[in-house]
Amino acid sequence: MAGAGGDFQRRQGGRPLPGPPRGPPPPPPPRFEPVDREKTCPLLLRVFTKIGGHHTKEDFAVRGKEPKDEVQIYTWKDATLRELTDLVKEVAPAARKKNAKLSFALVYPDKNGRNVVKEVGMTSAYGNGRDDHRALADLSFQIGDYLDVAIL
């Protein structure tokens, strides 16, 4: 049958197989158990905001001398970056601008005890961002990690 109509695959009835689905893929299902927020005690998340970029790992080098622009949020590991964006907007006027973007980074100690600043997602102040649905648990967040938010 070579040369008789192309190289696409056909079903048994002679009709072509359907192509790949259109549009963006659906968000992946959560890899963690959702938290029952009525029965589970929230955790304290220390959030540090900065306009224009992320703090450096040196800014977190000395315990007790973290950056001063801190917001403390009580939340759960299933909190999404969209939820956190909305909470940051309540306390940081620069995050309320129409074209503001928020870049999220986890700050945590490496195996040698030195802090690492790892970017983990980006949201828009208004509208939908590609990482809106990502939860802290999806980002390998552990209780005690800090969250650094760059307001761009």
Side-chain angles (χ1 to χ4, degrees), residues 25-128:
R31 294 185 316 235
F32 60 92
E33 286 294 316
V35 175
D36 182 347
R37 293 184 178 193
E38 293 292 320
K39 296 180 180 177
T40 304
C41 184
L43 59 95
L44 174 63
L45 178 62
R46 295 181 69 188
V47 180
F48 299 89
T49 60
K50 184 177 176 186
I51 297 172
H54 286 286
H55 290 93
T56 65
K57 63 183 178 181
E58 289 78 22
D59 293 331
F60 298 98
V62 179
R63 184 136 180 111
K65 293 190 178 180
E66 292 87 3
K68 299 294 181 215
D69 45 7
E70 177 180 1
V71 180
Q72 295 184 350
I73 297 173
Y74 286 94
T75 190
W76 295 267
K77 286 181 105 175
D78 67 345
T80 64
L81 293 184
R82 170 51 49 197
E83 287 179 74
L84 297 171
T85 295
D86 293 341
L87 290 170
V88 168
K89 283 169 39 181
E90 289 180 19
V91 296
R96 294 183 212 136
K97 293 183 179 175
K98 283 251 186 241
N99 59 348
K101 300 245 185 261
L102 281 70
S103 176
F104 292 84
L106 291 178
V107 181
Y108 58 91
D110 65 11
K111 62 182 178 179
N112 299 317
R114 289 187 284 275
N115 281 326
V116 175
V117 178
K118 178 184 171 194
E119 291 187 40
V120 293
M122 176 95 66
T123 63
S124 297
Y126 300 95
N128 296 328

